[in-house]
């Protein structure tokens, strides 16, 4: 669609009558921007908060208020589901005629702004107390992102028209303003290409998940030219994205992004960007996987709720206390430290304890020793000063060149040679889950204090 045609279309739409009910301007945000640790972490395995029986098929929109009331747009059943007071089941359902909502936003006074564009061509404001609804913006397609800033300006991300539009809720005027994008898709700094989620900070700066450009664009207040703050085209080193669809900011202004086609959530901190949840490298339905997630929201504890769209569920990732210490030994040595030149043989391959040509070894801070026995596809473990292995963990063709053990006892094992992955094995239950998919062996493995797994792949020189 041409820019001229788009402007004409908007002019026609904005002449329709809109009921304006003026309410006090928000003085504080209604959403959570948690104060997180320096290097925040979340549980790798999520809790399923809601399934398709509650939120319908392929949910998109979620919103959590500062008092942890949770709102989810159930497109299948034309309703908004509401959980309050820590309930595990919805405490209220709000229905609308063919309200196939992709997004929603809740203000501090409890008003719910709901996308109702797909069938009805508008954004509605719904009041929970009276369960009444009034149209507040007429639109020509769905809003894939909705936001109300502290000046009571309503923003709508119109993906199909490659722009973000806005309207003041304090004015009786029906004028809609284009805030970002031209109405024609493109990749220049002033264009968007199927934008999705949006976020407006307290300075009225707009962040846009510019989906088909694989980037996050920042539009400073009043500016139509965007700055790429995440994605491969950013002027600063950030992180590659694939069809990003949602954005949130924490208290310190660090970005958290729903990286949809990479089936993960990435976040930033003082060290830069990294994957924080859904970091297995592929789509799936396990508790540590996502499948085309669309949006996310924080509760006031820093827990992360994700609309796991293609799994038709809402996943809750628990924010972890970051009082972490290394699991490995870094001894304080004397300046003239020396070692006995003659070693003691601790374990030998000849007696079939560690097999032929061992590579990987790890010793924890309590001196538990782990060795990767490639010959017998197992990890041998010595604990409590024992001279013989106290436990053996086997894996199918687990020809491991390296391993790493975290403070909670999880064992990360290279399983790339035959099976193309890194596994996390739990000693207590002796169960295993894949945490990274790779195309060769990892000759070195490391897990840092932010729960990032590193793999040294000599075959690919990286």
């Amino acid at each position: 669609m041409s820019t001229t045609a788009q402007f004409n279309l908007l002019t026609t739409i904005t002449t329709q009558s809109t009921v304006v009910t003026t309410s006090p301007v928000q003085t504080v945000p209604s959403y959570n921007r948690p104060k997180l640790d320096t290097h925040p972490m979340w549980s790798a395995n999520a809790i399923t908060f809601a399934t398709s029986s509650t939120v319908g098929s392929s949910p998109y929109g979620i919103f959590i208020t500062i008092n942890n009331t949770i709102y989810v747009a159930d497109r299948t059943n034309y309703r908004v589901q509401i959980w309050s007071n820590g309930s595990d089941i919805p405490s209220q359902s709000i229905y609308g005629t063919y309200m196939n909502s992709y997004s929603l936003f809740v203000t501090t006074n409890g008003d719910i702004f709901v996308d109702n564009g797909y069938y009805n061509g508008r954004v509605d404001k719904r009041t929970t107390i009276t369960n009444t609804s009034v149209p507040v913006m007429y639109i020509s397609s769905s809003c894939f992102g909705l936001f109300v800033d502290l000046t009571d300006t309503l923003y709508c991300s119109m993906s199909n028209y490659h722009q973000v539009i806005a309207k003041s809720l304090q004015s009786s005027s029906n004028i809609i303003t284009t805030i970002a994008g031209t109405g024609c898709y493109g990749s220049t700094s002033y264009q968007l290409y199927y934008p999705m989620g949006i976020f407006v900070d307290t300075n009225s700066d707009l962040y846009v998940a510019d989906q088909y450009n694989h980037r996050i664009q920042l539009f400073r207040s009043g500016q139509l030219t965007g700055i790429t703050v995440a994605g491969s085209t950013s002027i600063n080193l950030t992180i590659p994205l694939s069809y990003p669809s949602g954005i949130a900011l924490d208290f310190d202004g660090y970005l958290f992004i729903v990286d949809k086609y990479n089936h993960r959530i990435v976040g930033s901190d003082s060290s830069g960007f990294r994957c924080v949840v859904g970091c297995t490298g592929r789509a799936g339905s396990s508790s540590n996987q996502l499948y085309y997630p669309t949006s996310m929201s924080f509760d006031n504890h820093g827990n992360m709720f994700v609309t796991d769209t293609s799994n038709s569920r809402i996943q809750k990732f628990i924010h972890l206390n970051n009082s972490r210490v290394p699991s490995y030994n870094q001894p304080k040595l004397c300046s003239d430290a020396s070692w006995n030149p003659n070693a003691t043989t601790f374990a030998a391959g000849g007696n079939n304890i560690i097999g032929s040509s061992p590579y990987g070894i790890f010793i924890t801070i309590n001196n538990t020793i782990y060795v990767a026995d490639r010959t017998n596809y197992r990890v041998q473990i010595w604990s409590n000063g024992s001279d013989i292995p106290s436990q053996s963990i086997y894996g199918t063709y687990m020809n491991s060149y390296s391993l790493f053990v975290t403070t909670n006892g999880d064992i990360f094992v290279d399983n790339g040679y035959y099976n193309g992955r890194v596994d996390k094995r739990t000693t207590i239950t002796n169960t295993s889950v894949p945490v990274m998919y790779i195309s060769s062996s990892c000759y070195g493995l490391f897990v840092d204090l932010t729960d990032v797994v590193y793999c040294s792949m000599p075959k690919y020189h990286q």
Side-chain angles (χ1 to χ4, degrees), residues 63-186:
F63 190 95
I64 304 177
T65 66
I66 54 177
N67 64 359
N68 287 342
T69 301
I70 300 168
Y71 299 77
V72 175
D74 175 359
R75 297 167 48 231
T76 304
N77 299 294
Y78 308 131
R79 65 185 176 182
V80 173
Q81 295 280 63
I82 306 172
W83 291 257
S84 56
N85 301 318
S87 174
D88 292 330
I89 59 174
S91 53
Q92 188 176 359
S93 301
I94 296 179
Y95 290 84
T97 304
Y98 296 115
M99 190 174 65
N100 186 23
S101 304
Y102 285 91
S103 58
L104 72 169
F105 190 98
V106 184
T107 55
T108 50
N109 65 354
D111 288 339
I112 310 169
F113 292 81
V114 186
D115 163 48
N116 197 359
Y118 191 85
Y119 290 115
N120 297 307
R122 63 178 188 257
V123 176
D124 291 334
K125 182 179 76 170
R126 306 186 68 88
T127 305
T128 54
I129 297 174
T130 61
N131 198 17
T132 58
S133 172
V134 292
V136 290
M137 178 189 282
Y138 287 96
I139 50 179
S140 49
S141 73
S142 297
C143 292
F144 282 81
L146 275 179
F147 207 96
V148 180
D149 71 11
L150 295 185
T151 69
D152 247 17
T153 299
L154 172 64
Y155 298 76
C156 164
S157 174
M158 296 179 64
S159 187
N160 293 336
Y161 292 99
H162 317 293
Q163 60 186 170
V164 177
I165 59 174
K167 175 186 181 296
S168 173
L169 297 172
Q170 293 292 315
S171 172
S172 59
S173 169
N174 288 315
I175 294 174
I176 290 175
T177 305
T178 298
I179 301 298
T182 63
C184 299
Y185 68 83

Side-chain angles (χ1 to χ4, degrees), residues 276-287:
V276 292
V277 300
C279 305
T280 63
R282 62 176 62 182
S285 59
S286 298
S287 61

Side-chain angles (χ1 to χ4, degrees), residues 155 164 179-180 198-200 204-208 217-219:
Y155 298 76
V164 177
I179 301 298
I198 54 179
F199 191 99
V200 183
S204 296
D205 294 334
L206 169 68
Y207 293 81
V208 182
Q217 291 293 88
L218 166 60
F219 294 86

